[in-house]
Structures are given as structure tokens and as C-alpha cells.
Amino acid sequence: MRTDAWLREQLDQLLRGPFSDMTVANRLTVHFGRRAGRRFGSILMTRDKRESRITINGHFRDETVPEAIVQATLAHELSHYAHGFSSPLPKKYKSPHAGGVILREFKKRGLEMLYHYEKQWSKSHWGEYLKAHMEPRAYRSLSRRPAATGLLQLLRHFEW
Ligand SMILES: [Zn+2]
């Protein structure tokens, strides 16, 4: 099982490499959260702005989830940070997912392949992974959401 220390090392690798030109303007922390159905990760800043916290889906502790998926999720949250969302940096866009801004950030940092790999993997593998690993009750409630015509279709619309 991967640990928070492992996660920290993944984050540091991104900060030393593709994100090395980005100013880290407060305390940036990362940890595994609960095992979630749809959100791969999130970033929040404390009210006093001293700390930004990245939370990664607890399912990703499992080593059968490719490392690249964890890296793509971290890079996604770091992109929000770079754009001034949940970070003290100046806000670059109106909203965190304004038209294609995440992809643009990945491209700028030479991570385009990682971006597409993550999209592909989540389409082709995530639904099956959840089926095998989610607690049955949680899985049923996810499947039963009225807007969804099928679980896989629902899973394509990540909010992360
Ligand atoms: Zn996002």
C-alpha cells in the first residue's frame, strides 16, 4: 500500500521537475483521503491562506492503480495551484476548469501524454476498478443516481 510519504515524494518530483518554475507561496501538503467514487483529487486552501492541501482519492493507495494516474492527479491539482485556485498565487482564469486550461497547463509543462493517458485510463478502467473495490452499498447508490444512464457514462464526467 502506498503511504502519504510516498505521495509526498511524487509531489516533490513534480515540483522539482515539470513545475519547478512555479512559486510555492505557502505550505503545500498532500495526503490520501477517503476512497471516493468520482473525484480523483482536490485542493483546498485554509482560510488564513497559510496552507494548501491536496487530497488524493484513497483508492490510489492501491498499487494496482498506475503511478501515472496518481501523477496526473497531482499535476492536475498543481495546475489549479499555478492558476491561483486554492493557492495564494494571482488568479489567472475565471474558473478552475475554464475551457481547456488544464490541458494547456499540462502541454506547457511537457505533460500532454500524461493528460491523455489519464483520460483514457479513467474511461477504460476506472468503472471496472470501482466495481471490484467499492463497498457494495456505496456502489449501488452511485449506480442509482437518476441522471446517470449507466455507471460508465456517469464516470466520464469527473468533477475533479
Ligand atoms: Zn480540477
Side-chain angles (χ1 to χ4, degrees), residues 6 10 17 23 26 30 33 37 43 45 49 65 68 70 95 101 104 108 111 117 120-121 123-124 129 132 146 153:
W6 178 87
Q10 301 301 307
T23 306
N26 63 357
V30 65
I43 182 165
M45 183 165 62
K49 300 189 178 184
V65 174
V70 182
S95 72
V101 297
R104 205 182 308 159
K108 185 180 130 187
L111 298 171
Y117 175 73
Q120 198 50 51
W121 186 87
K123 268 185 205 164
S124 53
Y129 182 91
Q153 195 167 341

Side-chain angles (χ1 to χ4, degrees), residues 3-158:
T3 61
D4 283 0
W6 178 87
L7 206 46
R8 179 76 235 180
E9 180 50 31
Q10 301 301 307
L11 183 72
D12 286 342
Q13 279 177 26
L14 287 166
L15 291 173
R16 283 194 300 263
F19 285 85
S20 58
D21 68 326
M22 184 186 81
T23 306
V24 178
N26 63 357
R27 201 163 94 86
L28 181 57
T29 60
V30 65
H31 63 270
F32 284 113
R34 65 183 189 87
R35 293 198 292 270
R38 283 183 297 161
R39 281 170 85 93
F40 280 10
S42 61
I43 182 165
L44 292 170
M45 183 165 62
T46 55
R47 206 175 287 178
D48 65 10
K49 300 189 178 184
R50 285 195 190 165
E51 185 181 341
S52 295
R53 291 180 191 154
I54 296 175
T55 303
I56 299 297
N57 193 325
H59 280 300
F60 295 178
R61 284 195 186 96
D62 181 349
E63 280 159 26
T64 63
V65 174
E67 257 182 51
I69 297 303
V70 182
Q71 285 157 1
T73 306
L74 288 168
H76 180 105
E77 304 313 329
L78 285 179
S79 298
H80 287 321
Y81 191 98
H83 298 163
F85 294 102
S86 300
S87 87
L89 301 180
K91 209 154 258 148
K92 278 191 166 177
Y93 304 104
K94 272 189 189 162
S95 72
H97 296 110
V101 297
I102 299 292
L103 176 58
R104 205 182 308 159
E105 195 64 31
F106 272 60
K107 275 187 182 168
K108 185 180 130 187
R109 299 181 181 280
L111 298 171
E112 192 179 355
M113 289 284 286
L114 195 61
Y115 182 92
H116 293 297
Y117 175 73
E118 187 280 331
K119 292 281 170 246
Q120 198 50 51
W121 186 87
S122 50
K123 268 185 205 164
S124 53
H125 295 289
W126 186 235
E128 285 304 309
Y129 182 91
L130 283 182
K131 236 187 246 178
H133 293 88
M134 265 175 95
E135 285 162 31
R137 206 172 38 165
Y139 182 78
R140 275 202 307 276
S141 74
L142 188 64
S143 317
R144 230 189 272 135
R145 288 189 186 206
T149 52
L151 179 63
L152 282 173
Q153 195 167 341
L154 173 70
L155 290 169
R156 286 199 185 107
H157 300 282
F158 292 117

